Amino acid sequence: MIERDVEQHFIWRIAMMGGLTWKTKAIGRVGFPDQTALLPGEIWLVELKRPKGRLAEAQKQFAADCARLKVRYACLWSIEMIEAWAAAYKVFVL
């Protein structure tokens, strides 16, 4: 499985959840996540990796900054992780 497969599944899953996604880049900002997802009442910044992929140091720092600022951030490494994340999300929305 390659990262593109994980990303395509994520885009499909967000659409099935009634949300929207955008492939994102932040000019001049290294480590910005791959996707921005809009779900009812929430915005998520999401880094997608293939299984056994790894985060660059800038990506780790961005994740830490999001945690410190209480910004919704997820790093998802597989289709199974996407499904588990989506199932957990539904618990909070209902």
Side-chain angles (χ1 to χ4, degrees):
M1 177 180 309
I2 59 177
E3 189 171 313
R4 183 181 68 230
D5 297 332
V6 175
E7 188 167 31
Q8 287 175 344
H9 186 80
F10 177 77
I11 292 166
W12 174 82
R13 172 51 60 209
I14 294 297
M16 293 297 99
M17 294 168 70
L20 302 171
T21 59
W22 284 274
K23 179 95 172 151
T24 50
K25 288 187 180 183
I27 297 171
R29 174 73 174 155
V30 178
F32 197 79
D34 299 316
Q35 293 279 332
T36 299
L38 277 67
L39 288 162
E42 297 183 4
I43 298 172
W44 283 82
L45 301 175
V46 181
E47 182 65 40
L48 298 162
K49 293 289 183 188
R50 65 180 174 83
K52 298 185 182 180
R54 62 183 195 143
L55 290 173
E57 287 303 316
Q59 292 170 318
K60 291 176 186 176
Q61 183 60 54
F62 191 90
D65 290 342
C66 285
R68 179 177 54 82
L69 296 169
K70 297 184 174 139
V71 172
R72 294 183 191 283
Y73 171 89
C75 184
L76 304 172
W77 302 80
S78 66
I79 289 171
E80 294 78 19
M81 281 188 78
I82 292 168
E83 290 303 314
W85 175 82
Y89 172 81
K90 290 178 184 177
V91 170
F92 297 109
V93 173
L94 301 175

